[in-house]
Amino acid sequence: GVDEIIGTQFVRTQQTGQPLADRTSAPITVAPSEWNDWIDFAERIAAWQLEREVPGASYLMIGHSSDYNTTLLEGLGASPSGPLADKYQDMVILMREADGTVRLSILQYGGESSLD
């Protein structure tokens, strides 16, 4: 049940989401934000997402490095405890409840990457 896949202008994020888009027909949307630095970039994308979020919808947001991911999650209302790991098999799930509270789950999928 993914309604929309969100990447950035970096092609890798769009390529990461493409297999799920092919399987589910969920569109890939490129967040309209220019890169200056990772923290500013994440803050602007979080603000954009909060403005357009639809209650009950499910979004997959493709991440980048730990500074970006931590700042993005904080901008979306989550409170990650410390910086997130910076491994390719990490998956962070943010769930916003009907009352606005946010829950985080940090999971891993697949094996280690040679890039880790």
Side-chain angles (χ1 to χ4, degrees):
V2 174
D3 297 305
E4 182 180 22
I5 300 165
I6 300 166
T8 65
Q9 76 267 29
F10 295 99
V11 174
R12 179 191 61 78
T13 65
Q14 297 162 50
Q15 291 171 335
T16 297
Q18 192 62 56
L20 183 62
D22 293 343
R23 186 173 182 151
T24 65
S25 298
I28 296 177
T29 300
V30 176
S33 185
E34 293 189 23
W35 187 90
N36 292 322
D37 64 62
W38 287 117
I39 292 178
D40 178 63
F41 188 55
E43 288 171 344
R44 285 186 279 125
I45 290 175
W48 169 79
Q49 178 61 20
L50 285 174
E51 287 178 11
R52 62 190 296 279
E53 215 169 76
V54 175
S58 177
Y59 304 94
L60 170 66
M61 297 183 82
I62 310 294
H64 287 283
S65 67
S66 61
D67 286 345
Y68 171 87
N69 295 339
T70 300
T71 303
L72 179 68
L73 289 168
E74 288 170 347
L76 293 171
S79 298
S81 56
L84 299 172
D86 204 9
K87 297 183 178 180
Y88 287 89
Q89 75 265 24
D90 292 341
M91 179 170 61
V92 179
I93 299 171
L94 179 147
M95 297 184 70
R96 189 178 320 283
E97 303 295 342
D99 66 0
T101 59
V102 172
R103 289 187 296 135
L104 279 184
S105 298
I106 300 174
L107 308 171
Q108 292 185 342
Y109 64 94
E112 287 191 22
S113 167
S114 62
L115 301 174
D116 287 333

